[in-house]
Amino acid sequence: MTAFWTEPDYDDHELVELVRDPKSGLTAIIAVHSSHLGPGAGGTRFWHYAEPERAMRDALRLSRGMSYKNAMAGLPMGGGKAVILADEKGTKTPEMLTAFADAVEALGGRYVTAEDVGISEADMARVAERTQYVSGLPVEGEDAAGGDPGPFTAMGIYHGIKAAVRHKLGKDSLEGVHVAIQGTGSVGGGVARLLAKDGAKLTLADIDAARAEALARELGGDAVASDAIMGVSCDVFSPNALGAILDDEGIARLDCKIVAGGANNQLARAAHGPVLAQRGILYAPDYVINAGGIISVTLEYLARTDGQPCDVNDVRERIALIPDRLETIWQESDRTGQSPDQVADRMAQDLIGR
Ligand code: NAD
């Protein structure tokens, strides 16, 4: 058996905790990468891992990604992430969520949780019954920030795609710009709706084919099989499903000028960033473009700990800064010849003192 700290993805994480609760059947991993800028903040993923060691890999990689994401978004939070290992059927019970919440509470604020893939607002509301270190809770009223971070993530990606189109294609409008979207869930579906309003041409895919087809019908786009989306000839490929899709094979299949989407850890390995750049494809580093959700949940969390409501306009204003951050990265990349992901990593590492 390999010790997790010898894994290539272990990056001097400050905390890696295995949570087991035989009574409820919960198995989870909570990882805090860095608390240099504040408590480790990042969502909980609920996923069935055919190979359990991939769950550890996800926890390590995703929590480091959160350190970088929070730092680059200018938030006073460190990086953390939790994964709950689901069984094949994806059984999720209230008892499991309660046991998970107790583990978060026992960390005394070192880790602050929220939604990620497979976890809903209602799940977070249950977690909040047992711990105060939680965000992304249901809110009422249009002006109240918080709740499901998906729409805020989508908003940031929409702004980021516009910035990438301006930088790479020299266009100020998305009218007729062809965007191929992988994954039409909370984030990808939201991105598609915002792009459709601006007249973008959409090609959509999801492993749940009916989901992509329904959205394509609603928005007037096309749907293709999920294994065909990466090869679609388009202006922008927007990955909004799971990570590590940009490997040798995936990059070779791309027929686009820009990769800009919300999935975490899109690059299979660090070496794939320069490979994309060599192919002349502009990359929007994932943790910079997809920060909208964490901006929302963090402002919600900080406001609640201060006993204040959180204004959605504050969230929107911060999300509107994402394009400027991307532009700074791309300009630095053009100047230095380093790929955008390398530039972003260096900026983030400077911010978290690594
Ligand atoms: P979601 O579960 O709502 O949607 C994901 C969608 O992707 C689902 O419809 C699923 O069927 C589809 N999918 C899975 N594998 C696929 C494949 N191989 N090809 C095509 N479609 C596939 O999740 P989400 O909240 O939309 O998150 C999507 C991605 O964005 C994840 O990588 C997540 O970590 C990342 N992310 C989400 C947020 C957020 O606020 N929700 C924030 C930052 C990053």
Side-chain angles (χ1 to χ4, degrees), residues 45 69 116 149-150 153 185-187 206-207 211 240-241 262-264 290:
R45 180 167 291 196
K69 187 188 303 199
D116 189 46
T153 304
S186 170
V187 174
D206 199 293
I207 41 166
R211 192 175 206 181
N240 295 291
N264 283 312
N290 72 12

Side-chain angles (χ1 to χ4, degrees), residues 87-320:
D87 64 15
E88 263 179 41
K89 292 189 208 133
T91 315
K92 193 199 294 166
T93 62
E95 291 74 23
M96 282 165 85
L97 292 171
T98 298
F100 174 71
D102 287 346
V104 172
E105 179 66 20
L107 290 174
R110 292 180 74 187
Y111 170 63
V112 180
T113 196
E115 294 90 345
D116 189 46
V117 176
I119 293 285
S120 67
E121 259 184 23
D123 295 334
M124 276 301 120
R126 183 165 294 273
V127 168
E129 288 170 9
R130 307 282 285 207
T131 180
Q132 55 191 302
Y133 307 116
V134 57
S135 196
L137 299 175
V139 285
E140 279 175 21
E142 290 227 326
D143 289 339
D148 177 11
F152 294 102
T153 304
M155 189 189 294
I157 292 159
Y158 161 73
H159 286 310
I161 289 176
K162 281 199 350 187
V165 165
R166 206 175 304 121
H167 186 90
K168 182 74 179 173
L169 309 179
K171 289 187 185 175
D172 280 327
S173 154
L174 290 176
E175 184 74 44
V177 171
H178 185 182
V179 186
I181 300 184
Q182 180 183 49
T184 53
S186 170
V187 174
V191 172
R193 285 195 168 84
L194 291 168
L195 293 173
K197 278 192 195 150
D198 280 7
K201 174 177 153 58
L202 298 177
T203 303
L204 310 175
D206 199 293
I207 41 166
D208 179 350
R211 192 175 206 181
E213 281 159 18
L215 191 63
R217 264 195 310 277
E218 178 195 324
L219 302 177
D222 293 321
V224 296
S226 63
D227 58 2
I229 191 75
M230 287 188 78
V232 169
S233 177
C234 60
D235 297 303
V236 184
F237 170 61
S238 184
N240 295 291
L242 294 177
I245 41 135
L246 299 173
D247 56 10
D248 291 335
E249 195 207 337
I251 293 173
R253 287 171 66 202
L254 291 176
D255 185 5
C256 63
K257 302 180 187 76
I258 294 163
V259 172
N264 283 312
N265 295 331
Q266 293 165 31
L267 299 170
R269 282 183 288 109
H272 290 112
V275 178
L276 264 184
Q278 278 149 22
R279 281 210 52 203
I281 298 172
L282 181 72
Y283 177 57
D286 43 18
Y287 58 81
V288 181
I289 193 171
N290 72 12
I294 195 72
I295 289 172
S296 167
V297 294
T298 298
L299 295 197
E300 173 199 334
Y301 178 74
L302 294 175
R304 185 154 21 87
T305 49
D306 284 349
Q308 303 287 330
C310 176
D311 188 335
V312 76
N313 292 317
D314 294 344
V315 176
R316 290 200 183 115
E317 269 172 32
R318 279 209 185 227
I319 291 175

